[in-house]
Amino acid sequence: MDAAVAKHVGARLLGEIEEGSLEELLDALRVNLIGGPSNIRPHIPIPALASIASRYHNAVKSAPPPVLSVSGRYLPLLYHLVSTLIAEPHNYTVVVVDAESRFDVTRLIAASAHPSPNHSDSSHNSPNSGSSSYPAEPSDLRHVHLYRPARGQDQIRAAVAAAQEWMVYGAHGSRAREWWGTVVIGAGVGGSGVKGDVNAGWKGWLRVEREEVAGFAAGISVEEALRDRGKRQEVVDGTGWVAGSRVGGYVWKDV
């Protein structure tokens, strides 16, 4: 941003001080300095999800953090995102502050990666042998730094601050990796000042639900329903997840 443009932006923002809050002013300044929400950080290495985040922040004229605010059945989306972040080729490290004590790091690995008593060949058990929504390997899990503070804004805020200090100055085993950011679970309404790079709670602009399964056809008999229940169960088991918002949705499968 050159001097003339900076002067113009500064004058416009100063003229809005009486009309907006300090937080709104800082958000507007961040948007102008980074060249707009299309360049939001941290980068989400899932193109469709990154596009939704960019469109949302552009629509509401906001700037992160958080880059995502997730509600509904949000854990599957967090597992999908964190697994993608810590796996090849991205190899990030991630902090998760979980005030609900529900985040299970073993869910970051695809089911096919877990040892099977019937298959000793590792080629059958590697999640990277095909496209997976959960591509992390067991060795990647050490790069997820999980904090479980007591519920309460002060406790969550203290945990986020402690995690940030540890990631920057601590002698941890992830120093060779880039720190992507912090996921905060259970931060309350709008985070109430506790802002992770991703916030998850009962209120958020990106809502996660199961994909809908079509109901039985009109007029189907009980006998027909029972006969087809095996096929229907396969359809149910194959349903994925939908993260929906005012600017679009994203679908992924539990594979």
Side-chain angles (χ1 to χ4, degrees):
M1 183 183 294
D2 60 34
V5 175
K7 182 177 180 181
H8 173 73
V9 171
R12 179 172 64 80
L13 293 177
L14 288 172
E16 295 174 352
I17 289 178
E18 294 182 357
E19 300 179 5
S21 68
L22 177 59
E23 184 172 355
E24 290 170 341
L25 176 64
L26 293 175
D27 282 345
L29 181 59
R30 281 196 295 268
V31 170
N32 280 280
L33 290 177
I34 66 177
S38 60
N39 296 321
I40 55 175
R41 292 293 184 271
H43 170 66
I44 300 172
I46 302 173
L49 194 57
S51 177
I52 289 172
S54 177
R55 293 200 303 272
Y56 173 82
H57 287 290
N58 184 58
V60 301
K61 307 301 182 187
S62 67
V67 65
L68 296 175
S69 182
V70 193
S71 60
R73 300 174 67 178
Y74 48 75
L75 283 174
L77 179 62
L78 299 184
Y79 294 142
H80 173 38
L81 174 61
V82 174
S83 181
T84 301
L85 290 169
I86 64 175
E88 291 278 1
H90 311 294
N91 294 323
Y92 290 111
T93 182
V94 178
V95 167
V96 178
V97 177
D98 177 17
E100 297 181 350
S101 297
R102 296 173 57 202
F103 190 88
D104 179 3
V105 293
T106 66
R107 296 287 302 277
L108 300 176
I109 303 175
S112 59
H114 294 283
S116 169
N118 299 320
H119 297 88
S120 58
D121 187 346
S122 60
S123 64
H124 291 285
N125 297 323
S126 174
N128 295 324
S129 59
S131 178
S132 172
S133 296
Y134 311 97
E137 299 279 3
S139 59
D140 294 318
L141 301 187
R142 71 187 68 176
H143 301 292
V144 178
H145 298 262
L146 180 60
Y147 291 71
R148 286 180 171 157
R151 287 179 179 266
Q153 298 305 305
D154 290 341
Q155 290 86 345
I156 297 172
R157 191 175 292 106
V160 170
Q164 291 174 342
E165 182 173 356
W166 173 248
M167 295 306 297
V168 174
Y169 301 110
H172 53 76
S174 300
R175 297 197 67 85
R177 291 191 173 203
E178 180 181 351
W179 176 29
W180 182 85
T182 302
V183 176
V184 178
I185 302 173
V189 180
S192 299
V194 182
K195 288 187 177 181
D197 296 291
V198 173
N199 279 13
W202 69 272
K203 186 176 182 180
W205 59 264
L206 186 66
R207 185 170 185 83
V208 179
E209 300 291 352
R210 267 290 189 187
E211 270 189 303
E212 286 190 19
V213 177
F216 289 106
I220 190 172
S221 68
V222 174
E223 290 78 11
E224 290 173 319
L226 290 173
R227 185 176 63 247
D228 294 337
R229 65 180 179 181
K231 293 181 179 179
R232 183 170 178 79
Q233 187 60 49
E234 289 180 3
V235 173
V236 172
D237 293 341
T239 57
W241 297 92
V242 180
S245 74
R246 58 185 281 188
V247 296
Y250 170 64
V251 179
W252 73 101
K253 302 292 186 180
D254 268 337
V255 295

